[in-house]
Amino acid sequence: SAPGAPTPAGKPEASYLASESERATATAQRWASEFRSQTRRA
């Protein structure tokens, strides 16, 4: 779908982008904590 096109009913673009952002943040935090634990063991 092109940018600016209407989003499908039941999936508002705002909430979709928010959930994507939250998922990305959670993933980054998990990677960071794993990286820190690895550097502490080294």
Side-chain angles (χ1 to χ4, degrees):
S1 59
T7 55
K11 191 156 199 163
E13 190 171 348
S15 67
Y16 172 75
L17 293 176
S19 64
E20 285 294 296
S21 177
E22 290 171 9
R23 187 178 303 127
T25 299
T27 299
Q29 289 175 341
R30 188 171 68 245
W31 286 351
S33 71
E34 289 177 359
F35 178 77
R36 283 195 300 267
S37 67
Q38 288 174 2
T39 53
R40 273 203 303 271
R41 265 192 249 107

